[in-house]
Amino acid sequence: MTIKGYTMGNEHKSKKRHPSRAQRLRKKKKSKIGLSPGSLVYVGDVSEGPSTIHLTRYNEKESETFQVQSAEQINSLIQDEKVNWFNITGIHNTEIVEAVNKQFQIHPLITEDILNTDHRPKLEIYDEYLFVSMKAVYPEMEEPHMPHVEQISFILGANFVLTFQEVDSDYFQTIRKRIDREGSRLRSMKADYLLIALMDLVVDHYLSVVENIGDEVQNLEDMIYDNPVKQHLYTVMSNKRTLFYLWRIIQPIQESLYTIKGIPTELINQSNKIYLEDVYDHLSTVRDSLDLYIELNNSMRESYSYSIGLKTNEVMKLLTIISTLFIPLTFLVGVYGMNFENIPELSWEYGYFYVWGLMILITVLLIFYFKKRKWL
């Protein structure tokens, strides 16, 4: 098989000092140094849990889903008159991924890309199949603005679709429900439409996550305006990292979709490319929203600095006014606190009350003057 040449993609420390995810990934990357291209080494954060293969087989009349016990059964389970969707979960088990791909004669370089969950999303078109790698994101229950990220890889063949997930989850549950529903468009379409529907689901999750982050950014803007605190700055920086990460994984997918629209391939029916256009439009919407929220989040740091500066100026203004009020009073008590015997006012009967009255008068006049100048 020959490649046609279309590749897109270019908090604190734990007290127990457990290695971070980045450290674990670097360690696994180092373990690949010196190995030949196509060497199967899993690079990812999920290293335990079951690995399963599920087959969803359907046509316009019927559909069924069941677990495949071993990869060697795959060829005997494929039915040419139906769409055969194999969903493989738990790719840390490299033997299962390799065995499945051998059944479909998938190039070892593709298998290597499936096992490397740290590379950028990409698209590659071969003679007999199409490979797409995407980052699936969905909100965390406790922190909706902090998305969970999982790599999902797709392989489209003439009558089959392979999906590879890092963990066993119900991420594709809505697609399965559409397949089970009689009369649905999915049931009447071929494998290429299933791939488009799966990619559209991933993009829909992008939009949901970006909207959650957008809500967080807008709420943060109000809080910074009302009462800025140091924690707000930490949140701004956290949102910045998340937004830029989303931008980096969405941009190559958008390029890939734009490329595949113009590539003549028998794997995708020409009439279905309009649905690819729709997915591309959704991605453009997500991209525009991301650009907007990145710009807004960047302005948050300036707003925080401005609000803190304004708050500091108000405090300094109040302290300055208080100091100004006490300057003449300090002068008066300083004069009459001197130890000279011939200070005339010291012998006045009402001298004490005279000084108090003078100090109160000076204070009132200063306050009146400040108000007239609109300093108060």
Side-chain angles (χ1 to χ4, degrees):
M1 285 179 277
T2 58
I3 301 177
K4 293 185 178 179
Y6 298 99
T7 302
M8 302 306 300
N10 259 20
E11 271 182 340
H12 301 289
K13 294 183 179 178
S14 172
K15 292 182 179 179
K16 295 183 179 180
R17 296 185 180 180
H18 293 309
S20 65
R21 181 178 187 273
Q23 290 173 329
R24 290 193 296 270
L25 290 178
R26 282 196 295 269
K27 183 177 179 180
K28 292 180 179 179
K29 284 181 179 179
K30 288 180 180 179
S31 67
K32 296 187 64 176
I33 295 176
L35 298 180
S36 61
S39 299
L40 304 184
V41 177
Y42 171 67
V43 178
D45 197 36
V46 180
S47 58
E48 56 185 24
S51 297
T52 60
I53 306 172
H54 283 89
L55 169 60
T56 299
R57 194 168 56 190
Y58 67 91
N59 58 17
E60 194 169 3
K61 296 180 181 179
E62 59 181 346
S63 70
E64 57 181 336
T65 299
F66 54 89
Q67 183 170 342
V68 180
Q69 298 304 318
S70 67
E72 288 70 24
Q73 296 178 320
I74 288 178
N75 279 331
S76 62
L77 294 173
I78 294 177
Q79 296 181 3
D80 294 337
E81 72 279 3
K82 295 182 179 181
V83 176
N84 303 272
W85 172 22
F86 291 91
N87 186 45
I88 298 90
T89 61
I91 61 173
H92 58 276
N93 191 331
T94 59
E95 291 81 7
I96 287 183
V97 177
E98 182 181 17
V100 170
N101 284 353
K102 280 185 177 179
Q103 296 296 312
F104 292 94
Q105 298 181 353
I106 304 300
H107 197 283
L109 291 177
I110 297 297
T111 307
E112 182 182 17
D113 287 339
I114 292 172
L115 295 174
N116 183 4
T117 65
D118 199 43
H119 66 64
R120 296 183 68 194
K122 64 192 300 186
L123 162 71
E124 291 181 351
I125 297 181
Y126 288 66
D127 290 338
E128 287 81 16
Y129 52 85
L130 181 150
F131 171 69
V132 181
S133 174
M134 302 179 72
K135 299 293 185 182
V137 299
Y138 38 92
E140 294 281 11
M141 296 301 294
E142 297 179 356
E143 296 181 284
H145 63 287
M146 297 294 291
H148 174 77
V149 182
E150 174 190 358
Q151 176 168 291
I152 296 182
S153 301
F154 307 94
I155 297 179
L156 169 66
N159 64 343
F160 68 86
V161 174
L162 307 180
T163 54
F164 297 87
Q165 295 181 254
E166 290 188 60
V167 295
D168 188 7
S169 69
D170 59 351
Y171 190 83
F172 295 131
Q173 186 64 29
T174 55
I175 301 297
R176 292 192 180 92
K177 288 181 179 179
R178 289 168 59 185
I179 292 174
D180 291 338
R181 190 171 65 248
E182 292 186 11
S184 65
R185 181 181 291 143
L186 262 174
R187 289 273 289 270
S188 61
M189 294 293 201
K190 301 299 182 182
D192 59 334
Y193 186 81
L194 173 60
L195 173 65
I196 295 172
L198 293 169
M199 294 175 66
D200 186 54
L201 177 66
V202 175
V203 173
D204 287 343
H205 278 94
Y206 289 157
L207 186 58
S208 174
V209 169
V210 170
E211 286 177 349
N212 286 332
I213 298 176
D215 292 340
E216 171 74 14
V217 170
Q218 293 179 30
N219 292 334
L220 185 60
E221 183 180 28
D222 295 335
M223 290 188 290
I224 289 177
Y225 179 81
D226 292 336
N227 183 30
V229 295
K230 196 171 185 179
Q231 182 60 39
H232 293 158
L233 185 60
Y234 295 148
T235 306
V236 167
M237 300 307 296
S238 176
N239 287 341
K240 178 183 177 180
R241 288 191 294 269
T242 303
L243 287 167
F244 272 106
Y245 179 78
L246 290 173
W247 193 93
R248 287 197 303 270
I249 67 176
I250 287 174
Q251 186 261 347
I253 298 173
Q254 192 175 24
E255 290 181 0
S256 299
L257 285 175
Y258 183 80
T259 301
I260 197 175
K261 289 190 302 178
I263 297 176
T265 173
E266 296 179 357
L267 293 172
I268 297 182
N269 192 300
Q270 191 66 29
S271 62
N272 285 338
K273 287 194 174 182
I274 188 173
Y275 300 111
L276 273 177
E277 288 276 1
D278 185 59
V279 178
Y280 181 83
D281 291 341
H282 289 173
L283 262 180
S284 297
T285 301
V286 175
R287 176 82 174 270
D288 291 342
S289 297
L290 265 180
D291 290 339
L292 173 63
Y293 293 136
I294 287 174
E295 184 69 25
L296 183 59
N297 191 72
N298 287 340
S299 68
M300 291 292 98
R301 188 162 49 181
E302 297 177 6
S303 298
Y304 174 82
S305 299
Y306 175 79
S307 297
I308 291 294
L310 187 63
K311 193 174 181 180
T312 303
N313 288 340
E314 289 295 324
V315 173
M316 294 302 298
K317 178 182 176 181
L318 178 61
L319 294 176
T320 302
I321 290 174
I322 293 174
S323 299
T324 304
L325 290 175
F326 276 93
I327 286 173
L329 308 185
T330 304
F331 172 76
L332 286 176
V333 298
V335 169
Y336 289 107
M338 293 187 295
N339 295 323
F340 293 106
E341 295 183 0
N342 297 320
I343 298 178
E345 293 84 355
L346 293 178
S347 60
W348 289 3
E349 182 179 356
Y350 300 104
Y352 174 76
F353 301 102
Y354 158 76
V355 173
W356 265 109
L358 181 61
M359 289 192 295
I360 292 172
L361 177 62
I362 291 174
T363 303
V364 171
L365 290 176
L366 284 174
I367 293 175
F368 177 77
Y369 177 75
F370 292 154
K371 284 186 175 293
K372 186 177 181 180
R373 297 297 299 268
K374 297 182 178 179
W375 293 347
L376 284 176

